[in-house]
């Protein structure tokens, strides 16, 4: 028997598979497809202080082995999530959930983390400083070590829940941002968010997305995500949740061997609503084939040839 | 409740030079209303392709689709023994048949026509045979006129270039002498929906299209603003009541 | 009849299709597949001052819709290229070629550009400040505006041939690097080089590539490349050669609509040696369908919705 | 000269639980020597897959491949009327038959065995029937022993676990009583090549594997260092003479 459990800052997950924020709503659309309690956890849709409609449509464009989205953090706002979504979620998900929080100022991040941190259903908070689709005020905190550290410090003051900072891949040196977050007190890191990309509608001679650019996700970004997880895991001593293009149990194992303690699955849920269920079910077989008895052993198992 | 499954291709043949009809066999229990759609997985395409259910029965689903890009091109090439498609079935709200009034009219344009067929059949069964107005670009594009007639529906066709039926748009057919209606159902390209919205004083329902990520309400890719807040075209739509549309 | 000609800094190409450096050698392996004179031009394998064997193998890893390479600039050195490759090339390619130059110090770049600039077969020089696979001395000039500008200034002093700087996508703000090159006198820009990525060999519990990381290319990176071409074309007034994942005439058109004056095709040549021939042959039909009479009109044709 | 084309699958059947033989019909004029390989394009795989030519004639190419990953799994599932594969043909240098000496020996391990078959046939035609030594892991993995015998070649098999033939490695068979050879040809996993390199005092040729980008010399993905400078396994190899190998 293979032991699939992994631990994130003291939180024990039954397995390392976690649907990624923005691809799983608040769970409601998936609960009819399968029993969500088979998941390690899930990260709910990025939630902000105020309700947001998000960007104009089209918000979605197709790519080879991936997709662009420019949803722009559509969500009902933190108060509605606490009032309506969390109580409803209790009926179909009986494990600690990951609260994904977005924001446009340090104060907003603080407000949301303080409020959501008080909810007992929340196992850890994932702070998204890296959404490529919203640039109000022109600030993307995740682009600089200073910005990411400022948010980290601020939210750590207002909650006792473990705080994971979700990093942007659209940077020259992700390890610098990662280290800054660690020094600022982050309990862990989530990476990667989407790569900034674009498509053009030839017939109409304009960008496909109303927002011009959007975030690339899906298998296309897996090698970049894996590289960044590897780099960051070698640069910090806090746990890393790896994501980006994972769509199979083998890729979960690759992410973990690169240094991830748990793995999120995003776009794959959209093209196959059963993606996470299939991955959870395939994991024991993959681990057995690799001669690994405990999923947690996978973390960082791959050794650099040059190190 | 939405279902995912493999559906066997029973028929896949052209209706016009670029519009095909595909009949698929499999579990249809998830289909609850005309105007719902399926989301089709295709090798080599990352996202699924949303296609309206043109008709269905206990064992089959009929799709009518136009070849416009890579995905629909692949669909058109499929068939042969054992060929099957991975579908998500039972997506969307579909048309509300209860609201149909005493004299419903159906207005369809191009590949907006298909879902109206399943709708017409069920309105007819409900004792409310609708008038059917179909718009196409040109004579060669016309399909399903006879099928609607065979249902017993008075059916008229307009073509933009006048090469078949009346010259003009589908909304022009509303002015036909003797035309009486108190409720409309429509599906077609957005300019047509706007024209119908303006032309029909009565209440009605419009079916919308949007680029989709998932098709089952998870990604917020297809949101639109309505008078009652934001709705997902894939889950809360694709059919919206006229009175909630913001135009 | 559609006019396929495009112009790069005064150099008129019969069409915008250019095999990308490192995927076409010095042309020799392709001349038996088709007549190379149908190409707009081609960019030869990145050439350095000294001959280089490159990295240890495995140097190649497969990805979804793409591949990683860590060749590490294997080449016979600038002198051998001038002595042997260029005279041989004359027999099967009768148009100006693009000389792609790599280097590990400003002096090396200068040395190579000065020498190759004197060769009449060379139409323009493409200076690769962005190879992700070589880090000797830890310097990647393309990672900072200052580094890229320093190389640009230095090579512009030693040659009269148009100089295009080839930019790295592995940066937070590619427009800053682009503008620095423009200010330093670059005649044009080439982008993108590969995205830094990685794969792990599960069975052996180690990176697939001997070099650990490598450069991701192929259709997977097209949306990122297109976005960067768009951003850079909006930020500078010099021509841009777009590349990254192009494998069809439609994608050539997308790149040009985003702002590219010509387009390079890389990894596609490796999986289909006839890729560029097919693209050149398909272009007139694609342009006709788009209602475009001259390929040069495509450049920047897409308008931002928000601008 | 290398060629690219579509080749029709005439036969595709298992030889063992995971090794398949595929016979493809098409233009074979680009094949000039045993030990050359083809590069196979497969839907859903970005890179082509290099597979040695096990045998060929005027109209067909035979491949023997082991299912190890996604690409070979797809190959194993192919077939049926009209099924075809996109191949690059005539890749690599192949074995040099002229250098074969008076008594050549062929040493093959696992899926290194296939190219030796085409080689044995041609050595035989040339009047130099080789001794053939084959190594496998276990009895269930053994294939083509009879085919080599049918060519008229003295053939011996070793298995690592002793479940068939002699227990041990293929190089152990060199010590068989009466075994005489003055030249070797080999193909197999690298540890085996190294063992052959050490065990055989005579000259010979070794066929190498490397991860490939293109397979026709363009990308420098497969370079290796030899005594005479760097060589591309795909173009200047896969066969190297013993004396140039740096070990
Ligand atoms: C609810 C709904 C019902 C539909 N019903 C039908 C139908 O019954 N018959 C029919 O012919 N067409 C229908 N369409 C349109 C159909 O989805 C597109 O024509 C199809 O997705 C095109 O795919 P492609 O790969 O051929 O084109 P491509 O242009 O290559 O597709 C690229 C991407 O854009 C998306 N896309 C392209 N056109 C549309 C569009 N009009 N609407 C939404 N997404 C689009 C594709 O899904 C894909 O993700 C419907 C669309 C929606 C949203
Ligand atoms: C010159 C040459 C001749 C070969 N001849 C044969 C043969 O006759 N029969 C046979 O069964 N196998 C042969 N191989 C090995 C064969 O190429 C691999 O088994 C095959 O590519 C695996 O593909 P996959 O998709 O099933 O595996 P995956 O592991 O999924 O492949 C992933 C990637 O790694 C590459 N790869 C994996 N294993 C190898 C390998 N051993 N060598 C080179 N690249 C590899 C693949 O090409 C692909 O790009 C040969 C290899 C070379 C280089
Ligand atoms: C439609 C969509 C919406 C997303 N919304 C969010 C979000 O609200 N918050 C967030 O942190 N990440 C969001 N993401 C990013 C994903 O959580 C994930 O980081 C990224 O997609 C990479 O993983 P993948 O390749 O498996 O999709 C979104 C991704 C998609 C595709
Ligand atoms: C095998 C390989 C070798 C490469 N070598 C070089 C090089 O020597 N110099 C260079 O500027 N770019 C090099 N590149 C990058 C390509 O020129 C191109 O910028 C990149 O691959 C993106 O284009 P693509 O997606 O079409 O391949 C190489 C790419 C590949 C795949
Ligand atoms: S397409 Fe995902 S919510 Fe509608
Ligand atoms: S695989 Fe490209 S040179 Fe050998």
């Amino acid at each position: 028997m293979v032991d699939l459990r992994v631990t994130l800052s003291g939180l024990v997950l039954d397995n390392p598979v976690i649907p990624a924020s923005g691809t799983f709503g608040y769970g409601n659309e998936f609960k009819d497809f399968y029993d969500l309690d088979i998941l390690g956890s899930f990260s709910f849709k990025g939630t902000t202080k105020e309700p947001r409609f998000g960007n104009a449509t089209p918000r979605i464009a197709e790519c080879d082995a991936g997709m662009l989205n420019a949803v722009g953090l559509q969500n009902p706002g933190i108060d509605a999530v606490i009032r309506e979504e969390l109580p409803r979620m209790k009926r179909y998900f009986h494990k600690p959930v990951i609260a994904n929080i977005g924001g446009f100022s340090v104060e907003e991040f603080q407000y949301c983390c303080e409020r959501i941190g008080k909810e007992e259903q929340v196992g850890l908070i994932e702070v998204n400083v890296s959404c490529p689709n919203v640039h109000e005020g022109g600030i993307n905190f995740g682009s600089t070590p200073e910005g990411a550290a400022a948010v980290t410090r601020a939210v750590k003051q207002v909650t006792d829940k473990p705080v994971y900072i979700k990093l942007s891949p659209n940077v020259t040196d992700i390890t610098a941002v990662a280290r800054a977050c660690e020094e600022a007190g982050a309990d862990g890191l989530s990476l990667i968010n989407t790569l900034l990309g674009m498509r053009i509608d030839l017939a109409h001679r304009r960008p496909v997305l109303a927002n011009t650019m959007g975030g690339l996700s899906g298998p296309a970004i897996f090698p970049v995500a894996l590289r960044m997880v590897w780099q960051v895991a070698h640069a910090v001593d806090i746990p890393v949740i790896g994501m980006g293009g994972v769509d199979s149990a083998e890729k979960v194992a690759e992410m973990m061997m690169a240094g991830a303690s748990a793995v999120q699955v995003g776009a794959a849920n959209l093209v196959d609503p059963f993606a996470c269920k299939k991955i959870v079910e395939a994991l024991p077989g993959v681990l057995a084939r690799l001669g690994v008895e405990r999923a947690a052993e996978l973390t960082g198992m791959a050794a650099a040839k040059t190190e | 409740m939405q279902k995912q499954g493999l559906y066997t291709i029973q028929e896949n043949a052209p209706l016009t030079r670029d519009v095909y009809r595909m009949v698929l066999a499999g579990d249809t229990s998830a289909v609850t209303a005309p105007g719902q759609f399926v989301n089709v997985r295709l090798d080599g395409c990352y996202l699924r392709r949303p296609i309206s259910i043109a008709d269905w029965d206990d064992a089959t689903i009929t799709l009518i689709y136009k070849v416009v890009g890579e995905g629909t091109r692949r669909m058109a090439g499929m068939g042969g023994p054992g060929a099957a498609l991975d579908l998500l079935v039972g997506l969307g709200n579909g048309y509300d048949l209860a609201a149909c009034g005493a004299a419903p009219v159906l207005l369809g344009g191009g590949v907006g026509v298909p879902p109206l067929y399943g709708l017409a059949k069920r309105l007819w069964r409900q004792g409310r045979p609708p008038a059917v107005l179909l718009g196409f670009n040109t004579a060669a594009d016309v399909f399903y006129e006879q099928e609607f007639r065979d249902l017993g529906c008075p059916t008229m066709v307009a073509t933009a270039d006048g090469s078949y039926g009346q010259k003009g748009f589908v909304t022009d057919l509303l002015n036909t002498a003797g035309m009486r209606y108190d409720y409309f159902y429509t599906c077609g390209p957005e300019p047509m929906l706007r024209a119908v919205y303006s032309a029909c004083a009565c209440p009605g329902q419009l079916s919308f299209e949007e680029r989709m990520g998932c098709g089952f309400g998870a990604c917020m890719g297809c949101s639109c603003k309505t008078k009652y807040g934001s709705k997902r075209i894939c889950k809360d739509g694709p059919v919206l009541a006229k009175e909630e549309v913001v135009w």
Side-chain angles (χ1 to χ4, degrees), chain B residues 106-114 116 132-136 170 185-189 192 196:
Chain B
L106 274 44
L107 301 98
V111 286
V113 168
L116 300 184
V132 176
L133 312 181
L134 308 177
F136 298 96
V170 68
Y185 293 94
T186 186
C187 182
M192 184 196 119
V196 172

Side-chain angles (χ1 to χ4, degrees), chain A residues 29 57 59 62 74 271, chain B residues 47-49 220 223 232:
Chain A
E29 291 74 23
T57 53
R59 296 176 174 184
E62 195 183 44
Q74 176 172 0
V271 295
Chain B
L47 296 174
R48 290 175 182 261
R49 298 297 188 261
M220 301 292 146
S223 297
R232 294 159 298 181

